Amino acid sequence: MDLEEKLYREGFIPSSFSKRVYAYSIDELLVSLIIFAAFFNQFVAVSNDIMSIIALTNSMLLYFIILKTAYHTIFIHMYGKTIGKMVARIRAVDIYTLDNPTWKNAFIRALLRNVDEMFFYLGMFYALTNPFVQTLHDKLSKVVVIDD
């Protein structure tokens, strides 16, 4: 049975691109605020010099990637949705079981999402041509995002 038949049988509707962008924006804001709060004292210490702020931000790249990967992996596996997806009322499901993605698939999706961001979000534009509005990181991790 193909994905379209499965989704139709269960009454699931693929999420719209605009809902996905909305959820994505909320998640990015939340993770950024967590990083900013965690390193607030360092930001205050260098707030007079823009080059120092840039250097500090660059030095936090690994922390940012680890936090984002953990955030997306845990939330997608446990709930099928991140906080942004909860607000947008959408969720990610495994294309075979239509249940929350496995730890492995959630982790692969989170890693590929980070890689996608490093390449100007090109994988997200794949969703504009995909009938199920799957991004490249969704497709490769065997996930589809549906309305909740």
Side-chain angles (χ1 to χ4, degrees):
M1 180 180 302
D2 71 344
L3 181 58
E4 185 174 17
E5 289 176 23
K6 276 186 189 180
L7 293 176
Y8 178 76
R9 183 189 71 212
E10 297 298 325
F12 293 150
I13 300 168
S15 177
S16 69
F17 189 75
S18 59
K19 279 187 176 183
R20 299 208 51 193
V21 169
Y22 179 57
Y24 179 87
S25 301
I26 291 169
D27 288 331
E28 287 299 302
L29 180 64
L30 285 173
V31 172
S32 296
L33 288 173
I34 291 168
I35 288 287
F36 183 73
F39 292 95
F40 181 76
N41 291 337
Q42 289 90 327
F43 277 113
V44 170
V46 298
S47 63
N48 300 359
D49 180 23
I50 189 71
M51 293 309 287
S52 296
I53 293 172
I54 292 170
L56 177 61
T57 304
N58 287 339
S59 72
M60 289 187 282
L61 182 61
L62 183 59
Y63 298 113
F64 196 64
I65 290 171
I66 290 169
L67 178 64
K68 285 175 63 166
T69 301
Y71 170 77
H72 285 278
T73 300
I74 293 166
F75 273 87
I76 291 298
H77 171 71
M78 299 291 289
Y79 308 107
K81 46 188 145 182
T82 58
I83 295 171
K85 283 180 176 48
M86 289 176 194
V87 172
R89 296 179 187 260
I90 60 178
R91 69 184 173 116
V93 296
D94 181 280
I95 63 170
Y96 300 115
T97 64
L98 298 181
D99 199 5
N100 294 349
T102 63
W103 279 110
K104 177 184 168 188
N105 286 353
F107 181 69
I108 290 169
R109 183 177 186 275
L111 283 178
L112 292 173
R113 189 175 184 278
N114 288 334
V115 171
D116 182 40
E117 291 173 13
M118 292 178 205
F119 291 100
F120 309 106
Y121 304 97
L122 292 176
M124 294 193 185
F125 288 107
Y126 178 76
L128 295 172
T129 63
N130 183 281
F132 304 108
V133 196
Q134 287 176 294
T135 60
L136 201 51
H137 58 268
D138 291 333
K139 186 82 171 163
L140 295 173
S141 62
K142 300 170 180 64
V143 168
V144 65
V145 178
I146 59 172
D147 285 347
D148 197 19

